Amino acid sequence: MPVASLFRSRLPRLLATALLCTGALAQEGPQMGLRRLELTAGMYRIDAQMALSPQERQIGLMHRKDMPAQEGMLFVFEQPATQCFWMKNTLLPLTAAFIADDGTIVNLADMKPQTEDSHCSSKPVRYVLEMNQGWFAKRGLKAGARLGGAPFAGK
């Protein structure tokens, strides 16, 4: 087979691979394979997926059609900063808990699905935990409550 024909036959696959490697190809489904850890909020257990990389944090809980009550997603940033979240391509109503290094909830924000409204931490934080909307309220958890788990241990 001539080199030009060989290259043309493999071009679509090479291009798709290049796009995947650079992150330029948008993810169309939910990210379900992230690492998990257990967090606690008083007597309540949370099974949290961890969004660690910029791409994992950007996708977040987009495209999820449902999420069990005890599950959530913990967004972990390299350093404390004012963190702002929106709900583009997110189908579930969520509450974001903005969390200090020691696990203390700084503030909570209820977020409507599929909106681009910005919801920000009231002070610099490194962690944001998204849960189904109402999860914190139903358990009486407000700003000042403290979460437990490996990220907050010893702080």
Side-chain angles (χ1 to χ4, degrees):
M1 179 181 287
V3 173
S5 296
L6 181 64
F7 184 73
R8 268 193 304 257
S9 69
R10 291 188 180 171
L11 183 60
R13 188 167 59 185
L14 290 170
L15 183 57
T17 301
L19 289 172
L20 281 171
C21 290
T22 63
L25 195 59
Q27 179 168 326
E28 294 181 22
Q31 55 184 352
M32 302 297 292
L34 300 180
R35 286 190 289 169
R36 293 178 179 266
L37 83 154
E38 183 174 307
L39 301 175
T40 58
M43 62 185 228
Y44 304 103
R45 186 185 70 78
I46 300 165
D47 178 18
Q49 288 184 285
M50 296 176 62
L52 302 171
S53 72
Q55 183 175 356
E56 291 169 350
R57 291 190 301 257
Q58 183 178 2
I59 296 168
L61 289 167
M62 286 182 178
H63 310 292
R64 294 261 323 238
K65 293 180 181 169
D66 56 25
M67 184 168 64
Q70 78 285 357
E71 281 191 22
M73 183 171 284
L74 182 67
F75 296 79
V76 181
F77 295 88
E78 289 77 23
Q79 57 190 358
T82 300
Q83 307 297 344
C84 295
F85 281 62
W86 64 348
M87 298 285 284
K88 183 177 181 178
N89 297 323
T90 306
L91 308 174
L92 303 170
L94 301 171
T95 300
F98 298 95
I99 305 167
D101 280 356
D102 68 355
T104 302
I105 297 173
V106 172
N107 63 297
L108 296 164
D110 286 339
M111 304 184 296
K112 292 182 180 179
Q114 302 197 61
T115 62
E116 294 185 17
D117 300 336
S118 189
H119 305 277
C120 301
S121 59
S122 60
K123 69 179 195 178
V125 297
R126 250 177 20 114
Y127 304 100
V128 180
L129 176 63
E130 289 184 343
M131 299 289 290
N132 285 310
Q133 194 168 100
W135 189 91
F136 295 98
K138 288 176 188 171
R139 290 156 182 81
L141 300 169
K142 301 176 182 176
R146 193 161 176 182
L147 302 182
F152 319 120
K155 296 181 182 174

